[in-house]
Amino acid sequence: MPAGFLPIQGGRVGVAFAGRLDGRQTLASGLDLSPGHGFTDIELVARAVERWGVDVPGRLLGDYALAVWHGGERRLMLTGDAMSMRTVYYWRGPDRVLFATSLRDLLAMPDVPRVIDELFVADHMAMNYGDGDATFYRDIRKVWPGTSVLLTAQGTDRREFHRFDPERRVYLSNDEDYVDRARELLDQAVADRMRGQNVAITGSGGLDSACLAVSVLRHAPTVPFLTAVPEPGLPTAPTDGYVDERPYVEALAAAFPGLRTEFLPPPPGADWTPENWSLMSAGVTPYRMATHVAWLNEPARRAAALGATLYLTGAVGNLTLTWDGLRGLPNMFRHGRWLRLAWELALTSRGHPRRLASLTWYSLFQPLLGGHRFSEEDLLPTCALNPAVLRQYGMADRLRQRSSDPRYILSSDSRRFRIAAICRNRGRRPDGMNSLRTFQGIDNSAPLADLRLIEFCLAIPDDQYLRNGTTRWLSRRLLRAAGVPAVITENRRRGYQHPEWFAHLSRARPSLPAQLDRLRRSPTASRLIDLDRLERLIADWPANAEAAEAKHLHLQVMLQEALHVGAYVAWIEGTN
């Protein structure tokens, strides 16, 4: 979506806006405008700025970035939407402030330094994400999610306009009302994203994608539904779930003929090297699980080829509309609802003793007990940082401070757990979204991450998600009422994204020693990353996909992430 600039108040104030404004009727009503006002998004925002000044971010909804310059006061306000679908990056020099909606654009400006923030890189590799203003670059800040930044000659101030409230509750008259309200909010989120756009869905056979499909088809007669599938002929990982989405998507399309389905394996020339230079250079940042983007990229490219200007995804759904409800089990225990707890455990495990034992331990006892005290050594299976670097930065304490350690991840408070997870994800989202937009040549949006829908889903009772052994009860009821086939609504198995990952990584294996050598020549990369551990891992290569799955965290997560981040560090170090 193109950015725009609009001078107001005789040129004394300038408004720059990029993205999409939602809830336009509510905003227009607050501005005393008639429903047929005809204003564009930026014109509405400009009027809102005139009415509410620096308080305007709390009045806006959508995926947007906003800058407002008050010339008379020599004050610049920067802000983005509360979910960080878009944000503003800025650099403050001795006599000016430069800002942009992407790091790539900001770094293209003269004098903006490219000095890596090593602590931010370490946090990234340790998956210590969260709200904040730091970036991969020491001298570049980004707008903290849910806040605006006010810059004047006297300094920088941050004003909060949104915070998730774990104590907020929504109670409706009956179970059907919760489904109806969820459907209304979903349809509103989808309709707002479809306004002025040609959309496609990049989806699977899961509940998130089915929710998108039925909602989009309430607003359009047909829509492309594009699904990534494994590359033919390659061995896939062993799993209790499924590796091919075709049967589920075909069942959905049979019930909803408006879905124009296509099944798209990765192209023969896909880049499976962990470095993935094209993706990295697109955002001028590393991208976690870059090879997953390569696997999912063909549906996005196909959407653009079909003329779509935006593709929709089900991102964030598993924390909102399609939440499984299992984190409600500890609440039953703490409130003495013993019979209900035993009932839900028995029905959810469906008579399988091992499943009952696993469910009771992981979803009930571990959250209540809080787990063991977390240490830097617990990071080693998934994080290739040198142990000395982990200790230098006190990474275990940093994880605890951000509520990212297992004792909090296993929290017994369902709402606080979800809020923490949403904030962890939104903290790293802008870099990834900008990388994808540039790399794929098409915009994307996530209706299930709509702030109105999230606030509703966080506030309703836990039993709307888990009832009589049925997890994700809210979304299953919504889809049943819409006519989605039982093969989808009653499915309990999980799909495996990129199940042929080991075959693809094995293709890149001959180049891995050379990648390690390049990192050894980088002073920063060789100091941050335990390259000897990576070398041993490459030397002990699994014989097949089944053996590789036992080393899944080491190979697909730690090894690939370390090589990708290391290549980025060496690249930026070389440009300086």
Side-chain angles (χ1 to χ4, degrees), residues 11-160:
R12 297 186 303 276
V13 176
V15 177
F17 180 85
R20 184 198 69 255
L21 191 63
D22 295 341
R24 285 167 49 90
Q25 290 185 2
T26 302
L27 182 62
S29 176
L31 292 169
D32 302 321
L33 298 174
S34 64
H37 55 77
F39 288 118
T40 64
D41 283 357
I42 191 171
E43 289 169 340
L44 273 178
V45 171
R47 292 223 169 188
V49 168
E50 290 182 303
R51 173 72 62 89
W52 295 300
V54 295
D55 295 322
V56 72
R59 302 278 185 158
L60 305 181
L61 287 170
D63 299 353
Y64 68 86
L66 172 66
V68 181
W69 170 247
H70 294 267
E73 304 167 29
R74 312 263 331 146
R75 184 182 69 220
L76 175 66
M77 182 181 76
L78 306 174
T79 192
D81 63 84
M83 285 301 293
S84 261
M85 294 297 173
R86 293 181 183 270
T87 192
V88 183
Y89 301 89
Y90 62 97
W91 170 73
R92 183 165 193 156
D95 59 352
R96 56 186 165 152
V97 174
L98 301 177
F99 61 92
T101 55
S102 75
L103 282 170
R104 182 188 181 94
D105 291 336
L106 184 57
L107 288 164
M109 298 182 188
D111 301 327
V112 177
R114 291 190 174 204
V115 180
I116 287 175
D117 185 331
E118 293 187 18
L119 179 56
F120 190 87
V121 171
D123 277 334
H124 174 84
M125 292 186 67
M127 292 187 283
N128 187 26
Y129 306 120
D131 288 345
D133 63 353
T135 73
F136 282 101
Y137 299 89
R138 188 187 64 196
D139 302 294
I140 296 176
R141 304 289 92 185
K142 69 174 181 288
V143 175
W144 192 308
T147 74
S148 58
V149 175
L150 302 177
L151 301 107
T152 65
Q154 288 70 45
T156 302
D157 186 31
R158 182 166 61 89
R159 296 169 60 104
E160 185 177 65

Side-chain angles (χ1 to χ4, degrees), residues 349-426:
S349 60
R350 300 191 294 281
H352 296 279
R354 291 182 62 182
R355 188 176 296 157
L356 175 61
S358 176
L359 179 66
T360 303
W361 174 245
Y362 288 108
S363 295
L364 178 62
F365 288 147
Q366 277 201 352
L368 288 169
L369 295 172
H372 66 283
R373 179 165 176 78
F374 193 54
S375 68
E376 277 80 14
E377 285 70 25
D378 293 307
L379 283 167
L380 296 181
T382 58
C383 175
L385 285 170
N386 265 313
V389 173
L390 291 172
R391 292 190 295 270
Q392 173 191 347
Y393 290 129
M395 193 55 69
D397 287 336
R398 290 184 61 78
L399 287 161
R400 277 190 287 272
Q401 290 165 10
R402 246 183 191 169
S403 301
S404 296
D405 71 292
R407 292 191 304 162
Y408 190 88
I409 289 173
L410 300 173
S411 169
S412 61
D413 188 313
S414 170
R415 290 178 177 86
R416 293 182 188 278
F417 167 82
R418 281 190 283 167
I419 289 171
I422 288 168
C423 291
R424 280 195 299 274
N425 290 334
R426 74 177 182 177

Side-chain angles (χ1 to χ4, degrees), residues 106-276:
L106 184 57
L107 288 164
M109 298 182 188
D111 301 327
V112 177
R114 291 190 174 204
V115 180
I116 287 175
D117 185 331
E118 293 187 18
L119 179 56
F120 190 87
V121 171
D123 277 334
H124 174 84
M125 292 186 67
M127 292 187 283
N128 187 26
Y129 306 120
D131 288 345
D133 63 353
T135 73
F136 282 101
Y137 299 89
R138 188 187 64 196
D139 302 294
I140 296 176
R141 304 289 92 185
K142 69 174 181 288
V143 175
W144 192 308
T147 74
S148 58
V149 175
L150 302 177
L151 301 107
T152 65
Q154 288 70 45
T156 302
D157 186 31
R158 182 166 61 89
R159 296 169 60 104
E160 185 177 65
F161 67 84
H162 178 269
R163 177 182 294 186
F164 290 108
D165 181 5
E167 303 303 326
R168 179 174 177 267
R169 299 290 184 269
V170 170
Y171 297 107
L172 302 179
S173 299
N174 54 62
D175 291 336
E176 290 73 22
D177 286 349
Y178 290 101
V179 176
D180 291 342
R181 183 56 180 153
R183 183 188 303 110
E184 290 171 3
L185 290 169
L186 172 64
D187 286 350
Q188 186 178 43
V190 168
D192 280 340
R193 283 155 179 79
M194 293 179 68
R195 176 173 57 90
Q197 301 284 341
N198 294 321
V199 304
I201 299 172
T202 60
S204 67
L207 300 179
D208 297 331
S209 297
C211 287
L212 291 182
V214 298
S215 183
V216 169
L217 289 177
R218 281 195 278 267
H219 301 92
T222 65
V223 63
F225 192 97
L226 310 170
T227 302
V229 294
E231 184 176 342
L234 294 184
T236 58
T239 176
D240 293 332
Y242 56 91
V243 300
D244 196 335
E245 304 283 349
R246 283 185 182 87
Y248 303 95
V249 174
E250 287 170 347
L252 184 64
F256 296 89
L259 295 179
R260 307 200 312 268
T261 58
E262 294 187 41
F263 301 100
L264 301 159
D271 180 8
W272 301 112
T273 61
E275 293 172 323
N276 203 318

Side-chain angles (χ1 to χ4, degrees), residues 75-76 88 238 267 287 323 431 535 547 553:
R75 184 182 69 220
L76 175 66
V88 183
Y287 192 105
W323 175 242
D431 295 345
E535 187 173 39
L553 291 178

